[in-house]
Amino acid sequence: MTVSLSSLRGDGDAFTDGCPTRVVLDHVTSKWGVLVLAALADGTLRWSELRRAVDGISEKMLASTLKTLERDGIVERVAHPVIPPHVDYSLTDRGRDLMEAMSPLLLWVAANADDIVPSG
Amino acid sequence: MTVSLSSLRGDGDAFTDGCPTRVVLDHVTSKWGVLVLAALADGTLRWSELRRAVDGISEKMLASTLKTLERDGIVERVAHPVIPPHVDYSLTDRGRDLMEAMSPLLLWVAANADDIVPSG
DNA sequence: CCGGATCCTAGAAGATACTG
DNA sequence: CAGTATCTTCTAGGATCCGG
């Protein structure tokens, strides 16, 4: 029985509608959130690098995903006042902590995806 | 620097649009998927118990979430041919393996949610 | 009690064009 | 280069009714 997930139950937990846990869980496990975080796990990237790293993301989604993660204190945005603009994104300490917790999941998915989805 | 997530890059990885990794990641990190899986991590539950365990889920979403996870070989469905109907849901071996990989994330979210989302 | 089938809407997400 | 603004499209999700 792995780690005691039952400890999640009881008070303000993920099983209660509208609690902070649900909100953060949604941010962190959102379609693009996971991929952006995984891309930043390797280190600082700038906007255009992120766009290329996360294949298929639109500018709109990249912007809103980054904004949400920044508000949550998971991603840090550093804008350099130069022409042309140069903006760096990286994980905060909290973000790095999060990625340590999330990497087992990402590795599991990478290892099992081909068994689960037959051809495509 | 935690686990090497950069190993995820390269061939058929989560950063490539349309690959199996993306599909499985979406199933597993879906809004309700996470919560259903977490509920089942404690053991077998029947339909009505799941509905109560995952606060706020609609019957439609519970049905479709379970069906997706069942197709992926993560959740097992056992229907007992009695009146009134009795259907049990539980994790498969693969599902338990998945939950071992996911529990650090869930614990992190539970531990950090209140810091991230101020009041609600 | 356990869902399937149907209808419908809000918000997610894509495409494109434009600006400091 | 790094976004914002706008418009459209799409689908996750909710509500309801029904059937085994």
Side-chain angles (χ1 to χ4, degrees), chain A residues 36 39-41 43-50 62-63 65-67 69-70 75-80 86-92:
Chain A
V36 166
L40 289 176
T44 300
L45 290 178
R46 48 194 300 190
W47 169 274
S48 51
E49 292 172 326
L50 267 173
L62 180 54
T65 300
L66 284 170
K67 219 174 283 182
L69 295 175
E70 194 190 349
V75 162
E76 186 185 21
R77 177 184 186 276
V78 178
H80 301 96
H86 183 129
V87 182
D88 285 324
Y89 291 93
S90 58
L91 295 181
T92 61

PDB file of all heavy atoms in Angstrom, chain A residues 36 39-41 43-50 62-63 65-67 69-70 75-80 86-92, chain D residues 2-4:
ATOM      1  N   VAL A  36       5.114  22.588 -19.123  1.00  0.00           N
ATOM      2  CA  VAL A  36       5.939  23.767 -18.893  1.00  0.00           C
ATOM      3  C   VAL A  36       6.883  23.529 -17.715  1.00  0.00           C
ATOM      4  O   VAL A  36       8.083  23.826 -17.783  1.00  0.00           O
ATOM      5  CB  VAL A  36       5.054  25.000 -18.632  1.00  0.00           C
ATOM      6  CG1 VAL A  36       5.867  26.147 -18.066  1.00  0.00           C
ATOM      7  CG2 VAL A  36       4.353  25.439 -19.916  1.00  0.00           C
ATOM      8  N   ALA A  39       9.651  21.228 -18.626  1.00  0.00           N
ATOM      9  CA  ALA A  39      10.646  21.897 -19.462  1.00  0.00           C
ATOM     10  C   ALA A  39      11.578  22.754 -18.610  1.00  0.00           C
ATOM     11  O   ALA A  39      12.787  22.799 -18.839  1.00  0.00           O
ATOM     12  CB  ALA A  39       9.948  22.761 -20.511  1.00  0.00           C
ATOM     13  N   LEU A  40      11.003  23.414 -17.597  1.00  0.00           N
ATOM     14  CA  LEU A  40      11.805  24.297 -16.753  1.00  0.00           C
ATOM     15  C   LEU A  40      12.632  23.529 -15.724  1.00  0.00           C
ATOM     16  O   LEU A  40      13.531  24.096 -15.090  1.00  0.00           O
ATOM     17  CB  LEU A  40      10.911  25.318 -16.051  1.00  0.00           C
ATOM     18  CG  LEU A  40      10.314  26.391 -16.950  1.00  0.00           C
ATOM     19  CD1 LEU A  40       9.369  27.279 -16.168  1.00  0.00           C
ATOM     20  CD2 LEU A  40      11.418  27.219 -17.596  1.00  0.00           C
ATOM     21  N   ALA A  41      12.303  22.255 -15.560  1.00  0.00           N
ATOM     22  CA  ALA A  41      13.041  21.455 -14.569  1.00  0.00           C
ATOM     23  C   ALA A  41      14.521  21.354 -14.916  1.00  0.00           C
ATOM     24  O   ALA A  41      15.362  21.175 -14.038  1.00  0.00           O
ATOM     25  CB  ALA A  41      12.428  20.064 -14.458  1.00  0.00           C
ATOM     26  N   GLY A  43      16.269  23.759 -16.193  1.00  0.00           N
ATOM     27  CA  GLY A  43      16.947  25.030 -15.982  1.00  0.00           C
ATOM     28  C   GLY A  43      16.178  26.178 -16.607  1.00  0.00           C
ATOM     29  O   GLY A  43      15.074  26.004 -17.124  1.00  0.00           O
ATOM     30  N   THR A  44      16.769  27.345 -16.547  1.00  0.00           N
ATOM     31  CA  THR A  44      16.133  28.562 -17.051  1.00  0.00           C
ATOM     32  C   THR A  44      15.929  28.506 -18.565  1.00  0.00           C
ATOM     33  O   THR A  44      16.782  28.030 -19.301  1.00  0.00           O
ATOM     34  CB  THR A  44      17.010  29.782 -16.700  1.00  0.00           C
ATOM     35  OG1 THR A  44      17.139  29.856 -15.281  1.00  0.00           O
ATOM     36  CG2 THR A  44      16.386  31.056 -17.228  1.00  0.00           C
ATOM     37  N   LEU A  45      14.757  28.964 -18.976  1.00  0.00           N
ATOM     38  CA  LEU A  45      14.474  29.092 -20.406  1.00  0.00           C
ATOM     39  C   LEU A  45      13.829  30.446 -20.660  1.00  0.00           C
ATOM     40  O   LEU A  45      13.124  30.970 -19.803  1.00  0.00           O
ATOM     41  CB  LEU A  45      13.525  27.981 -20.874  1.00  0.00           C
ATOM     42  CG  LEU A  45      14.047  26.540 -20.931  1.00  0.00           C
ATOM     43  CD1 LEU A  45      12.940  25.606 -21.356  1.00  0.00           C
ATOM     44  CD2 LEU A  45      15.233  26.445 -21.881  1.00  0.00           C
ATOM     45  N   ARG A  46      14.045  30.975 -21.838  1.00  0.00           N
ATOM     46  CA  ARG A  46      13.323  32.185 -22.175  1.00  0.00           C
ATOM     47  C   ARG A  46      12.065  31.829 -22.960  1.00  0.00           C
ATOM     48  O   ARG A  46      11.870  30.684 -23.358  1.00  0.00           O
ATOM     49  CB  ARG A  46      14.210  33.170 -22.939  1.00  0.00           C
ATOM     50  CG  ARG A  46      14.994  32.571 -24.090  1.00  0.00           C
ATOM     51  CD  ARG A  46      16.070  33.510 -24.555  1.00  0.00           C
ATOM     52  NE  ARG A  46      15.478  34.777 -24.997  1.00  0.00           N
ATOM     53  CZ  ARG A  46      16.166  35.710 -25.627  1.00  0.00           C
ATOM     54  NH1 ARG A  46      17.460  35.545 -25.871  1.00  0.00           N
ATOM     55  NH2 ARG A  46      15.584  36.820 -26.006  1.00  0.00           N
ATOM     56  N   TRP A  47      11.207  32.826 -23.111  1.00  0.00           N
ATOM     57  CA  TRP A  47       9.895  32.645 -23.731  1.00  0.00           C
ATOM     58  C   TRP A  47       9.960  31.810 -25.014  1.00  0.00           C
ATOM     59  O   TRP A  47       9.281  30.798 -25.158  1.00  0.00           O
ATOM     60  CB  TRP A  47       9.291  34.014 -24.023  1.00  0.00           C
ATOM     61  CG  TRP A  47       8.073  33.994 -24.884  1.00  0.00           C
ATOM     62  CD1 TRP A  47       8.024  33.997 -26.248  1.00  0.00           C
ATOM     63  CD2 TRP A  47       6.719  33.958 -24.435  1.00  0.00           C
ATOM     64  NE1 TRP A  47       6.722  33.969 -26.675  1.00  0.00           N
ATOM     65  CE2 TRP A  47       5.888  33.938 -25.586  1.00  0.00           C
ATOM     66  CE3 TRP A  47       6.110  33.940 -23.179  1.00  0.00           C
ATOM     67  CZ2 TRP A  47       4.504  33.912 -25.518  1.00  0.00           C
ATOM     68  CZ3 TRP A  47       4.724  33.908 -23.111  1.00  0.00           C
ATOM     69  CH2 TRP A  47       3.942  33.893 -24.269  1.00  0.00           C
ATOM     70  N   SER A  48      10.794  32.234 -25.929  1.00  0.00           N
ATOM     71  CA  SER A  48      10.842  31.555 -27.232  1.00  0.00           C
ATOM     72  C   SER A  48      11.362  30.129 -27.087  1.00  0.00           C
ATOM     73  O   SER A  48      10.924  29.229 -27.817  1.00  0.00           O
ATOM     74  CB  SER A  48      11.720  32.336 -28.191  1.00  0.00           C
ATOM     75  OG  SER A  48      12.972  32.619 -27.588  1.00  0.00           O
ATOM     76  N   GLU A  49      12.243  29.906 -26.148  1.00  0.00           N
ATOM     77  CA  GLU A  49      12.739  28.552 -25.908  1.00  0.00           C
ATOM     78  C   GLU A  49      11.638  27.667 -25.341  1.00  0.00           C
ATOM     79  O   GLU A  49      11.510  26.497 -25.704  1.00  0.00           O
ATOM     80  CB  GLU A  49      13.935  28.588 -24.954  1.00  0.00           C
ATOM     81  CG  GLU A  49      15.164  29.240 -25.557  1.00  0.00           C
ATOM     82  CD  GLU A  49      16.280  29.437 -24.542  1.00  0.00           C
ATOM     83  OE1 GLU A  49      15.983  29.700 -23.357  1.00  0.00           O
ATOM     84  OE2 GLU A  49      17.451  29.343 -24.936  1.00  0.00           O
ATOM     85  N   LEU A  50      10.841  28.243 -24.452  1.00  0.00           N
ATOM     86  CA  LEU A  50       9.725  27.502 -23.888  1.00  0.00           C
ATOM     87  C   LEU A  50       8.724  27.109 -24.965  1.00  0.00           C
ATOM     88  O   LEU A  50       8.215  25.993 -24.986  1.00  0.00           O
ATOM     89  CB  LEU A  50       9.020  28.335 -22.813  1.00  0.00           C
ATOM     90  CG  LEU A  50       9.484  28.118 -21.378  1.00  0.00           C
ATOM     91  CD1 LEU A  50       8.827  29.122 -20.451  1.00  0.00           C
ATOM     92  CD2 LEU A  50       9.177  26.700 -20.925  1.00  0.00           C
ATOM     93  N   LEU A  62       0.585  29.518 -23.318  1.00  0.00           N
ATOM     94  CA  LEU A  62       1.868  29.660 -22.640  1.00  0.00           C
ATOM     95  C   LEU A  62       1.827  30.849 -21.691  1.00  0.00           C
ATOM     96  O   LEU A  62       2.246  30.752 -20.534  1.00  0.00           O
ATOM     97  CB  LEU A  62       2.991  29.837 -23.672  1.00  0.00           C
ATOM     98  CG  LEU A  62       4.401  29.989 -23.087  1.00  0.00           C
ATOM     99  CD1 LEU A  62       4.741  28.843 -22.156  1.00  0.00           C
ATOM    100  CD2 LEU A  62       5.435  30.107 -24.198  1.00  0.00           C
ATOM    101  N   ALA A  63       1.271  31.950 -22.170  1.00  0.00           N
ATOM    102  CA  ALA A  63       1.185  33.147 -21.336  1.00  0.00           C
ATOM    103  C   ALA A  63       0.348  32.892 -20.088  1.00  0.00           C
ATOM    104  O   ALA A  63       0.757  33.201 -18.976  1.00  0.00           O
ATOM    105  CB  ALA A  63       0.598  34.304 -22.144  1.00  0.00           C
ATOM    106  N   THR A  65      -0.579  30.038 -18.719  1.00  0.00           N
ATOM    107  CA  THR A  65      -0.008  28.998 -17.862  1.00  0.00           C
ATOM    108  C   THR A  65       1.119  29.571 -17.003  1.00  0.00           C
ATOM    109  O   THR A  65       1.177  29.345 -15.795  1.00  0.00           O
ATOM    110  CB  THR A  65       0.537  27.836 -18.716  1.00  0.00           C
ATOM    111  OG1 THR A  65      -0.527  27.274 -19.475  1.00  0.00           O
ATOM    112  CG2 THR A  65       1.151  26.761 -17.839  1.00  0.00           C
ATOM    113  N   LEU A  66       1.990  30.346 -17.657  1.00  0.00           N
ATOM    114  CA  LEU A  66       3.105  30.945 -16.923  1.00  0.00           C
ATOM    115  C   LEU A  66       2.602  31.915 -15.857  1.00  0.00           C
ATOM    116  O   LEU A  66       3.137  31.970 -14.757  1.00  0.00           O
ATOM    117  CB  LEU A  66       4.037  31.670 -17.894  1.00  0.00           C
ATOM    118  CG  LEU A  66       4.950  30.776 -18.726  1.00  0.00           C
ATOM    119  CD1 LEU A  66       5.651  31.573 -19.813  1.00  0.00           C
ATOM    120  CD2 LEU A  66       5.977  30.068 -17.840  1.00  0.00           C
ATOM    121  N   LYS A  67       1.566  32.660 -16.191  1.00  0.00           N
ATOM    122  CA  LYS A  67       1.048  33.638 -15.244  1.00  0.00           C
ATOM    123  C   LYS A  67       0.479  32.938 -14.002  1.00  0.00           C
ATOM    124  O   LYS A  67       0.702  33.370 -12.869  1.00  0.00           O
ATOM    125  CB  LYS A  67      -0.020  34.500 -15.921  1.00  0.00           C
ATOM    126  CG  LYS A  67       0.034  35.952 -15.519  1.00  0.00           C
ATOM    127  CD  LYS A  67      -0.946  36.796 -16.325  1.00  0.00           C
ATOM    128  CE  LYS A  67      -0.437  37.067 -17.732  1.00  0.00           C
ATOM    129  NZ  LYS A  67      -1.342  37.919 -18.529  1.00  0.00           N
ATOM    130  N   LEU A  69       1.280  29.933 -12.857  1.00  0.00           N
ATOM    131  CA  LEU A  69       2.355  29.324 -12.083  1.00  0.00           C
ATOM    132  C   LEU A  69       3.192  30.383 -11.357  1.00  0.00           C
ATOM    133  O   LEU A  69       3.737  30.125 -10.289  1.00  0.00           O
ATOM    134  CB  LEU A  69       3.235  28.465 -12.998  1.00  0.00           C
ATOM    135  CG  LEU A  69       2.538  27.242 -13.606  1.00  0.00           C
ATOM    136  CD1 LEU A  69       3.436  26.532 -14.591  1.00  0.00           C
ATOM    137  CD2 LEU A  69       2.084  26.287 -12.505  1.00  0.00           C
ATOM    138  N   GLU A  70       3.271  31.570 -11.980  1.00  0.00           N
ATOM    139  CA  GLU A  70       4.014  32.642 -11.337  1.00  0.00           C
ATOM    140  C   GLU A  70       3.256  33.145 -10.101  1.00  0.00           C
ATOM    141  O   GLU A  70       3.856  33.365  -9.049  1.00  0.00           O
ATOM    142  CB  GLU A  70       4.221  33.783 -12.347  1.00  0.00           C
ATOM    143  CG  GLU A  70       5.270  34.801 -11.911  1.00  0.00           C
ATOM    144  CD  GLU A  70       5.283  36.026 -12.803  1.00  0.00           C
ATOM    145  OE1 GLU A  70       4.631  36.004 -13.865  1.00  0.00           O
ATOM    146  OE2 GLU A  70       5.934  37.015 -12.414  1.00  0.00           O
ATOM    147  N   VAL A  75       6.905  29.452 -10.482  1.00  0.00           N
ATOM    148  CA  VAL A  75       7.774  29.892 -11.571  1.00  0.00           C
ATOM    149  C   VAL A  75       8.162  31.348 -11.339  1.00  0.00           C
ATOM    150  O   VAL A  75       7.350  32.155 -10.896  1.00  0.00           O
ATOM    151  CB  VAL A  75       7.059  29.743 -12.937  1.00  0.00           C
ATOM    152  CG1 VAL A  75       7.741  30.569 -14.014  1.00  0.00           C
ATOM    153  CG2 VAL A  75       7.003  28.279 -13.342  1.00  0.00           C
ATOM    154  N   GLU A  76       9.420  31.665 -11.658  1.00  0.00           N
ATOM    155  CA  GLU A  76       9.883  33.042 -11.514  1.00  0.00           C
ATOM    156  C   GLU A  76      10.140  33.649 -12.890  1.00  0.00           C
ATOM    157  O   GLU A  76      10.717  33.010 -13.759  1.00  0.00           O
ATOM    158  CB  GLU A  76      11.173  33.083 -10.687  1.00  0.00           C
ATOM    159  CG  GLU A  76      11.632  34.501 -10.374  1.00  0.00           C
ATOM    160  CD  GLU A  76      12.980  34.510  -9.657  1.00  0.00           C
ATOM    161  OE1 GLU A  76      13.703  33.498  -9.760  1.00  0.00           O
ATOM    162  OE2 GLU A  76      13.281  35.516  -9.010  1.00  0.00           O
ATOM    163  N   ARG A  77       9.699  34.881 -13.039  1.00  0.00           N
ATOM    164  CA  ARG A  77       9.853  35.594 -14.304  1.00  0.00           C
ATOM    165  C   ARG A  77      10.835  36.741 -14.117  1.00  0.00           C
ATOM    166  O   ARG A  77      10.657  37.583 -13.233  1.00  0.00           O
ATOM    167  CB  ARG A  77       8.492  36.144 -14.747  1.00  0.00           C
ATOM    168  CG  ARG A  77       8.520  36.963 -16.018  1.00  0.00           C
ATOM    169  CD  ARG A  77       7.122  37.534 -16.295  1.00  0.00           C
ATOM    170  NE  ARG A  77       7.055  38.215 -17.568  1.00  0.00           N
ATOM    171  CZ  ARG A  77       7.413  39.483 -17.761  1.00  0.00           C
ATOM    172  NH1 ARG A  77       7.885  40.184 -16.755  1.00  0.00           N
ATOM    173  NH2 ARG A  77       7.320  40.036 -18.953  1.00  0.00           N
ATOM    174  N   VAL A  78      11.864  36.786 -14.948  1.00  0.00           N
ATOM    175  CA  VAL A  78      12.840  37.863 -14.888  1.00  0.00           C
ATOM    176  C   VAL A  78      12.947  38.522 -16.253  1.00  0.00           C
ATOM    177  O   VAL A  78      13.392  37.889 -17.222  1.00  0.00           O
ATOM    178  CB  VAL A  78      14.227  37.343 -14.458  1.00  0.00           C
ATOM    179  CG1 VAL A  78      15.233  38.485 -14.459  1.00  0.00           C
ATOM    180  CG2 VAL A  78      14.149  36.701 -13.084  1.00  0.00           C
ATOM    181  N   ALA A  79      12.520  39.782 -16.331  1.00  0.00           N
ATOM    182  CA  ALA A  79      12.563  40.520 -17.591  1.00  0.00           C
ATOM    183  C   ALA A  79      13.783  41.437 -17.624  1.00  0.00           C
ATOM    184  O   ALA A  79      13.983  42.242 -16.726  1.00  0.00           O
ATOM    185  CB  ALA A  79      11.287  41.336 -17.758  1.00  0.00           C
ATOM    186  N   HIS A  80      14.594  41.290 -18.658  1.00  0.00           N
ATOM    187  CA  HIS A  80      15.748  42.165 -18.831  1.00  0.00           C
ATOM    188  C   HIS A  80      15.378  43.327 -19.748  1.00  0.00           C
ATOM    189  O   HIS A  80      14.921  43.096 -20.868  1.00  0.00           O
ATOM    190  CB  HIS A  80      16.923  41.396 -19.427  1.00  0.00           C
ATOM    191  CG  HIS A  80      17.356  40.232 -18.586  1.00  0.00           C
ATOM    192  ND1 HIS A  80      16.924  38.934 -18.800  1.00  0.00           N
ATOM    193  CD2 HIS A  80      18.161  40.179 -17.498  1.00  0.00           C
ATOM    194  CE1 HIS A  80      17.463  38.138 -17.894  1.00  0.00           C
ATOM    195  NE2 HIS A  80      18.213  38.853 -17.090  1.00  0.00           N
ATOM    196  N   HIS A  86      14.170  40.450 -23.514  1.00  0.00           N
ATOM    197  CA  HIS A  86      14.725  39.164 -23.117  1.00  0.00           C
ATOM    198  C   HIS A  86      14.139  38.823 -21.763  1.00  0.00           C
ATOM    199  O   HIS A  86      14.376  39.530 -20.777  1.00  0.00           O
ATOM    200  CB  HIS A  86      16.256  39.258 -23.047  1.00  0.00           C
ATOM    201  CG  HIS A  86      16.910  37.957 -22.721  1.00  0.00           C
ATOM    202  ND1 HIS A  86      17.954  37.440 -23.470  1.00  0.00           N
ATOM    203  CD2 HIS A  86      16.667  37.052 -21.750  1.00  0.00           C
ATOM    204  CE1 HIS A  86      18.331  36.278 -22.957  1.00  0.00           C
ATOM    205  NE2 HIS A  86      17.566  36.031 -21.910  1.00  0.00           N
ATOM    206  N   VAL A  87      13.338  37.749 -21.709  1.00  0.00           N
ATOM    207  CA  VAL A  87      12.676  37.355 -20.467  1.00  0.00           C
ATOM    208  C   VAL A  87      13.021  35.911 -20.133  1.00  0.00           C
ATOM    209  O   VAL A  87      12.877  35.026 -20.968  1.00  0.00           O
ATOM    210  CB  VAL A  87      11.143  37.506 -20.579  1.00  0.00           C
ATOM    211  CG1 VAL A  87      10.480  37.135 -19.268  1.00  0.00           C
ATOM    212  CG2 VAL A  87      10.778  38.922 -20.977  1.00  0.00           C
ATOM    213  N   ASP A  88      13.494  35.723 -18.924  1.00  0.00           N
ATOM    214  CA  ASP A  88      13.864  34.382 -18.476  1.00  0.00           C
ATOM    215  C   ASP A  88      12.835  33.833 -17.506  1.00  0.00           C
ATOM    216  O   ASP A  88      12.346  34.530 -16.616  1.00  0.00           O
ATOM    217  CB  ASP A  88      15.231  34.407 -17.779  1.00  0.00           C
ATOM    218  CG  ASP A  88      16.365  34.540 -18.769  1.00  0.00           C
ATOM    219  OD1 ASP A  88      16.251  33.968 -19.866  1.00  0.00           O
ATOM    220  OD2 ASP A  88      17.371  35.206 -18.442  1.00  0.00           O
ATOM    221  N   TYR A  89      12.537  32.555 -17.688  1.00  0.00           N
ATOM    222  CA  TYR A  89      11.647  31.859 -16.758  1.00  0.00           C
ATOM    223  C   TYR A  89      12.415  30.713 -16.110  1.00  0.00           C
ATOM    224  O   TYR A  89      13.157  29.994 -16.777  1.00  0.00           O
ATOM    225  CB  TYR A  89      10.427  31.306 -17.489  1.00  0.00           C
ATOM    226  CG  TYR A  89       9.480  32.379 -17.984  1.00  0.00           C
ATOM    227  CD1 TYR A  89       9.590  32.898 -19.269  1.00  0.00           C
ATOM    228  CD2 TYR A  89       8.499  32.879 -17.150  1.00  0.00           C
ATOM    229  CE1 TYR A  89       8.744  33.890 -19.716  1.00  0.00           C
ATOM    230  CE2 TYR A  89       7.629  33.869 -17.585  1.00  0.00           C
ATOM    231  CZ  TYR A  89       7.763  34.364 -18.871  1.00  0.00           C
ATOM    232  OH  TYR A  89       6.917  35.349 -19.304  1.00  0.00           O
ATOM    233  N   SER A  90      12.184  30.555 -14.816  1.00  0.00           N
ATOM    234  CA  SER A  90      12.840  29.463 -14.104  1.00  0.00           C
ATOM    235  C   SER A  90      11.960  29.019 -12.944  1.00  0.00           C
ATOM    236  O   SER A  90      10.984  29.675 -12.592  1.00  0.00           O
ATOM    237  CB  SER A  90      14.202  29.923 -13.578  1.00  0.00           C
ATOM    238  OG  SER A  90      14.030  31.042 -12.724  1.00  0.00           O
ATOM    239  N   LEU A  91      12.296  27.887 -12.360  1.00  0.00           N
ATOM    240  CA  LEU A  91      11.563  27.411 -11.198  1.00  0.00           C
ATOM    241  C   LEU A  91      12.042  28.144  -9.944  1.00  0.00           C
ATOM    242  O   LEU A  91      13.229  28.452  -9.815  1.00  0.00           O
ATOM    243  CB  LEU A  91      11.779  25.905 -11.012  1.00  0.00           C
ATOM    244  CG  LEU A  91      11.237  24.988 -12.110  1.00  0.00           C
ATOM    245  CD1 LEU A  91      11.508  23.532 -11.742  1.00  0.00           C
ATOM    246  CD2 LEU A  91       9.762  25.211 -12.324  1.00  0.00           C
ATOM    247  N   THR A  92      11.122  28.431  -9.052  1.00  0.00           N
ATOM    248  CA  THR A  92      11.502  28.934  -7.735  1.00  0.00           C
ATOM    249  C   THR A  92      11.914  27.743  -6.871  1.00  0.00           C
ATOM    250  O   THR A  92      11.855  26.589  -7.310  1.00  0.00           O
ATOM    251  CB  THR A  92      10.307  29.629  -7.065  1.00  0.00           C
ATOM    252  OG1 THR A  92       9.259  28.653  -6.907  1.00  0.00           O
ATOM    253  CG2 THR A  92       9.787  30.767  -7.922  1.00  0.00           C
TER     254      THR A  92
ATOM    255  P    DA D   2      12.201  36.219 -25.860  1.00  0.00           P
ATOM    256  OP1  DA D   2      13.088  36.107 -24.686  1.00  0.00           O
ATOM    257  OP2  DA D   2      11.846  35.006 -26.624  1.00  0.00           O
ATOM    258  O5'  DA D   2      10.873  36.955 -25.390  1.00  0.00           O
ATOM    259  C5'  DA D   2      11.003  38.189 -24.708  1.00  0.00           C
ATOM    260  C4'  DA D   2       9.649  38.808 -24.499  1.00  0.00           C
ATOM    261  O4'  DA D   2       9.120  39.256 -25.768  1.00  0.00           O
ATOM    262  C3'  DA D   2       8.586  37.857 -23.916  1.00  0.00           C
ATOM    263  O3'  DA D   2       7.868  38.548 -22.909  1.00  0.00           O
ATOM    264  C2'  DA D   2       7.720  37.541 -25.127  1.00  0.00           C
ATOM    265  C1'  DA D   2       7.779  38.853 -25.868  1.00  0.00           C
ATOM    266  N9   DA D   2       7.429  38.799 -27.278  1.00  0.00           N
ATOM    267  C8   DA D   2       7.725  37.808 -28.184  1.00  0.00           C
ATOM    268  N7   DA D   2       7.268  38.038 -29.397  1.00  0.00           N
ATOM    269  C5   DA D   2       6.627  39.258 -29.276  1.00  0.00           C
ATOM    270  C6   DA D   2       5.921  40.052 -30.203  1.00  0.00           C
ATOM    271  N6   DA D   2       5.754  39.727 -31.490  1.00  0.00           N
ATOM    272  N1   DA D   2       5.400  41.218 -29.753  1.00  0.00           N
ATOM    273  C2   DA D   2       5.566  41.552 -28.471  1.00  0.00           C
ATOM    274  N3   DA D   2       6.200  40.876 -27.505  1.00  0.00           N
ATOM    275  C4   DA D   2       6.720  39.734 -27.978  1.00  0.00           C
ATOM    276  P    DG D   3       7.065  37.691 -21.815  1.00  0.00           P
ATOM    277  OP1  DG D   3       6.467  38.631 -20.845  1.00  0.00           O
ATOM    278  OP2  DG D   3       7.976  36.663 -21.374  1.00  0.00           O
ATOM    279  O5'  DG D   3       5.883  36.995 -22.650  1.00  0.00           O
ATOM    280  C5'  DG D   3       4.581  37.388 -22.348  1.00  0.00           C
ATOM    281  C4'  DG D   3       4.187  38.609 -23.199  1.00  0.00           C
ATOM    282  O4'  DG D   3       4.585  38.386 -24.557  1.00  0.00           O
ATOM    283  C3'  DG D   3       2.692  38.848 -23.271  1.00  0.00           C
ATOM    284  O3'  DG D   3       2.302  39.695 -22.221  1.00  0.00           O
ATOM    285  C2'  DG D   3       2.493  39.504 -24.633  1.00  0.00           C
ATOM    286  C1'  DG D   3       3.842  39.305 -25.346  1.00  0.00           C
ATOM    287  N9   DG D   3       3.667  38.745 -26.677  1.00  0.00           N
ATOM    288  C8   DG D   3       4.124  37.525 -27.139  1.00  0.00           C
ATOM    289  N7   DG D   3       3.846  37.300 -28.393  1.00  0.00           N
ATOM    290  C5   DG D   3       3.160  38.439 -28.786  1.00  0.00           C
ATOM    291  C6   DG D   3       2.605  38.784 -30.046  1.00  0.00           C
ATOM    292  O6   DG D   3       2.603  38.119 -31.097  1.00  0.00           O
ATOM    293  N1   DG D   3       1.997  40.027 -30.023  1.00  0.00           N
ATOM    294  C2   DG D   3       1.931  40.847 -28.917  1.00  0.00           C
ATOM    295  N2   DG D   3       1.298  42.012 -29.086  1.00  0.00           N
ATOM    296  N3   DG D   3       2.451  40.555 -27.741  1.00  0.00           N
ATOM    297  C4   DG D   3       3.052  39.339 -27.742  1.00  0.00           C
ATOM    298  P    DT D   4       0.828  39.548 -21.687  1.00  0.00           P
ATOM    299  OP1  DT D   4       0.807  40.130 -20.328  1.00  0.00           O
ATOM    300  OP2  DT D   4       0.427  38.150 -21.911  1.00  0.00           O
ATOM    301  O5'  DT D   4      -0.067  40.453 -22.665  1.00  0.00           O
ATOM    302  C5'  DT D   4       0.262  41.830 -22.869  1.00  0.00           C
ATOM    303  C4'  DT D   4      -0.694  42.404 -23.910  1.00  0.00           C
ATOM    304  O4'  DT D   4      -0.417  41.822 -25.210  1.00  0.00           O
ATOM    305  C3'  DT D   4      -2.178  42.134 -23.629  1.00  0.00           C
ATOM    306  O3'  DT D   4      -2.897  43.323 -23.899  1.00  0.00           O
ATOM    307  C2'  DT D   4      -2.515  41.005 -24.608  1.00  0.00           C
ATOM    308  C1'  DT D   4      -1.612  41.344 -25.782  1.00  0.00           C
ATOM    309  N1   DT D   4      -1.246  40.193 -26.643  1.00  0.00           N
ATOM    310  C2   DT D   4      -1.578  40.231 -27.982  1.00  0.00           C
ATOM    311  O2   DT D   4      -2.174  41.163 -28.500  1.00  0.00           O
ATOM    312  N3   DT D   4      -1.179  39.122 -28.706  1.00  0.00           N
ATOM    313  C4   DT D   4      -0.490  38.021 -28.234  1.00  0.00           C
ATOM    314  O4   DT D   4      -0.192  37.098 -28.978  1.00  0.00           O
ATOM    315  C5   DT D   4      -0.185  38.057 -26.833  1.00  0.00           C
ATOM    316  C7   DT D   4       0.554  36.907 -26.217  1.00  0.00           C
ATOM    317  C6   DT D   4      -0.566  39.118 -26.106  1.00  0.00           C
TER     318       DT D   4
END
